[in-house]
Amino acid sequence: MKTNQPDLIFYGAAGTVTGSKTLLSFDGKKVLIDCGLFQGLKHLREENWQDLPVPAHEIDEIILTHAHLDHSGYLPRLVKQGFNGAIHATDPTVALTQIILEDSGKIQEEEAAEANKRGYSKHKKALPLYTIEDAKKVKPLFVAHKNSEVVFITPHFKFQFHHSGHILGGAIVEIFAGDKTLVFSGDIGQQKPLLLYPPKRMHNADLVVLESTYGDRLHPEENPKDILKDVVNHTHQKGGILFVPTFAVERAQEILYLLTQLKVAGEIPNLNIFLDSPMAVEATKVFFDFPEWHTLSKEAIQLIQDEVYLITSYEQSQELVASTSPKIVLAGSGMVTGGRILHYFERHLDNPKNTVLLAGFQAMGTRGRSLAEHAHEIKFFGEWYRVRAEVKQMNSLSAHSDQNDLLDWLSGFKTRPGKVLLNHGEPNASHQLKLKLRDQLKLDAEAALPRVHYTI
Ligand SMILES: [Zn+2]
């Protein structure tokens, strides 16, 4: 039976910030918007082991807003369950998602192996949620699209991707279902992203599904370039090394851009800059491959290529870990949950000459959070390590809109949207944003509930 009204159901990112999956049924088709992994708390992560309530083979197509794991990380599971339709995404999202999924498969395999070795899983053998091989099986299903290209699902059901300002390739999705227009914000960036085009201003919609990650917060008013300059100069005066634990996509490129600009302007000393993270190196190359998707000039790219040592091999990394000469090192992971940064910390975290700059959000329970809260020691590789290096934080490079940005974006609609459903937010963030949207913009706004049908 063909549905003649768009019908929505949220299977994730409703009341939480991970596991984004929204099923849209219209004109006889079932389309899943994002296919994300649940992350963080254990009861959420356990949901990743469940099959979706809708059989995978009944889903016709997937529309992916961007590459982050909380939007793409369930794809290998869905393919394993029998999904074999098209996965629509922008050109850079296709490239980045493959990198991210294979890395995720590798981590899942390593964690399962570690659990079996240490006997965490007492009763049965621990299994990876998916493997690198599973992640590779997603690749043939991708269909890459340009910005604003019109993509038809049926003659009456079509969509377009527009710049979201969140990460490279990230998109707002505008869907035309018969005479209804639906806008999915995806994750939406600040009004003036450092390296990306700002979120596209939309003009009308019967329904807006809006993310609310920072629905209750404002970003600090600070200039990341000034902070970086001060931290580099201060560390240089001490004669130490600056370590920046970094996220592979977007944050690594933002910091490399700022550092190389400061260096060429003579505002920081002539220090060597290293990016030691195979995933971040690959993501940086994707940036270079898609110049139409970001605002970096040719000169700025050339400067990064000339000034930054891209480290991928383990041997090179080990050599760098052993060296004590002043330098700047960016290494994964961004919240110090794993990755090569731990090898540097094993060797250098107890030296007060060195500085650690935390350049992004640090989730509860991560080592990055402990450092941000001035822990005097942190545990990794089965040992406790003293923290004598200085720890600094920089919070202004967020990839998400804050409350003011979200209000501003919504107020740009020429006609008031018929309804706004808030997803991708903790309950308090969605609640506070809902109140603001109702009071200030007189919008019919509510927090999306999981597994409830919304007919538009
Ligand atoms: Zn995201």
Side-chain angles (χ1 to χ4, degrees):
M1 192 186 75
K2 284 198 174 186
T3 37
N4 55 12
Q5 275 184 296
D7 178 273
L8 275 185
I9 184 161
F10 294 85
Y11 288 127
T16 175
V17 289
T18 62
S20 268
K21 295 178 205 78
T22 308
L23 190 72
L24 171 61
S25 304
F26 182 71
D27 208 18
K29 295 285 183 188
K30 284 189 166 69
V31 175
L32 191 66
I33 295 143
D34 284 336
C35 188
L37 211 58
F38 285 103
Q39 294 169 298
L41 298 171
K42 194 173 176 212
H43 75 271
L44 284 174
R45 281 184 281 121
E46 280 171 353
E47 282 204 42
N48 294 322
W49 289 93
Q50 309 297 320
D51 285 0
L52 279 189
V54 52
H57 66 270
E58 285 185 13
I59 298 170
D60 295 286
E61 308 195 16
I62 292 174
I63 300 174
L64 200 60
T65 61
H66 65 288
H68 276 153
L69 214 51
D70 57 328
H71 294 255
S72 71
Y74 192 77
L75 283 169
R77 295 275 305 163
L78 203 69
V79 170
K80 212 172 184 175
Q81 289 160 38
F83 172 79
N84 70 350
I87 303 168
H88 300 282
T90 65
D91 289 301
T93 297
V94 170
L96 289 173
T97 305
Q98 280 163 216
I99 295 168
I100 286 176
L101 290 182
E102 285 180 32
D103 183 70
S104 174
K106 181 169 158 253
I107 291 169
Q108 310 275 0
E109 285 185 40
E110 286 170 358
E111 284 181 357
E114 185 70 15
N116 288 325
K117 195 172 98 188
R118 292 179 184 254
Y120 297 156
S121 189
K122 291 196 181 86
H123 304 295
K124 54 181 193 255
K125 197 168 178 267
L127 294 171
L129 187 62
Y130 50 81
T131 63
I132 301 175
E133 279 313 302
D134 294 330
K136 284 183 175 164
K137 287 179 186 154
V138 177
K139 189 176 174 181
L141 302 179
F142 280 115
V143 184
H145 300 286
K146 304 262 170 282
N147 183 46
S148 292
E149 179 186 333
V150 180
V151 187
F152 283 88
I153 297 161
T154 75
H156 308 290
F157 193 11
K158 60 187 178 182
F159 69 91
Q160 286 176 286
F161 289 118
H162 303 291
H163 290 294
S164 70
H166 172 59
I167 61 164
L168 186 74
I172 295 165
V173 186
E174 186 179 22
I175 300 179
F176 305 95
D179 60 356
K180 298 283 169 62
T181 304
L182 290 75
V183 170
F184 287 76
S185 74
D187 285 356
I188 190 165
Q190 299 194 51
Q191 289 183 53
K192 288 183 191 150
L194 193 61
L195 308 180
L196 302 174
Y197 293 100
K200 160 115 189 206
R201 310 291 281 195
M202 308 303 292
H203 296 312
N204 53 66
D206 297 283
L207 171 75
V208 177
V209 176
L210 180 68
E211 72 125 319
S212 51
T213 314
Y214 288 103
D216 58 346
R217 272 169 284 175
L218 299 176
H219 294 317
E221 301 255 349
E222 56 178 31
N223 182 338
K225 198 172 182 180
D226 291 343
I227 293 178
L228 207 49
K229 184 173 103 177
D230 291 348
V231 172
V232 173
N233 285 323
H234 174 66
T235 309
H236 182 66
Q237 279 160 11
K238 293 190 291 175
I241 309 172
L242 172 60
F243 296 106
V244 187
T246 193
F247 301 96
V249 180
E250 211 62 34
R251 192 56 37 85
Q253 294 80 32
E254 288 175 332
I255 291 170
L256 292 180
Y257 165 73
L258 292 173
L259 285 172
T260 51
Q261 292 296 315
L262 286 166
K263 193 169 164 181
V264 75
E267 294 188 57
I268 58 171
N270 190 23
L271 290 163
N272 286 334
I273 303 170
F274 298 91
L275 177 62
D276 186 0
S277 155
M279 187 153 93
V281 168
E282 282 191 72
T284 304
K285 288 177 182 163
V286 177
F287 247 85
F288 299 157
D289 288 344
F290 296 99
E292 71 278 22
W293 277 90
H294 57 74
T295 56
L296 272 176
S297 66
K298 268 189 192 156
E299 294 73 29
I301 290 178
Q302 192 60 51
L303 202 58
I304 294 174
Q305 287 171 328
D306 292 345
E307 294 289 341
V308 179
Y309 294 92
L310 301 177
I311 308 294
T312 50
S313 88
Y314 187 70
E315 291 70 29
Q316 278 177 310
S317 176
Q318 286 299 300
E319 260 177 49
L320 209 54
V321 165
S323 143
T324 55
S325 59
K327 61 177 102 43
I328 301 169
V329 179
L330 279 71
S333 67
M335 298 190 204
V336 202
T337 49
R340 290 185 178 177
I341 195 72
L342 293 178
H343 296 280
Y344 290 96
F345 281 3
E346 182 180 21
R347 186 88 183 226
H348 302 285
L349 197 60
D350 68 345
N351 187 343
K353 280 206 255 179
N354 301 328
T355 307
V356 177
L357 177 64
L358 301 166
F361 176 73
Q362 305 295 322
M364 221 138 57
T366 63
R367 295 185 192 97
R369 180 67 160 255
S370 300
L371 288 170
E373 291 172 350
H374 307 292
H376 69 282
E377 54 183 4
I378 57 171
K379 192 179 182 186
F380 53 94
F381 301 155
E383 308 263 340
W384 287 95
Y385 291 87
R386 287 296 299 263
V387 183
R388 289 197 180 93
E390 264 184 281
V391 178
K392 307 258 184 186
Q393 255 193 302
M394 175 164 80
N395 290 319
S396 48
L397 282 176
S398 175
H400 288 269
S401 279
D402 66 7
Q403 189 188 64
N404 281 346
D405 291 326
L406 292 169
L407 284 165
D408 182 76
W409 183 72
L410 266 182
S411 62
F413 277 70
K414 288 185 177 157
T415 52
R416 192 182 294 164
K419 189 170 191 61
V420 180
L421 289 174
L422 303 172
N423 73 343
H424 206 283
E426 299 296 346
N428 190 52
S430 301
H431 179 71
Q432 296 296 331
L433 184 62
K434 174 187 81 180
L435 297 180
K436 282 272 176 187
L437 295 180
R438 287 181 178 180
D439 289 350
Q440 289 192 8
L441 302 181
K442 309 293 175 218
L443 285 163
D444 174 7
E446 58 182 285
L449 298 170
R451 304 192 179 204
V452 169
H453 284 274
Y454 292 94
T455 304
I456 312 308

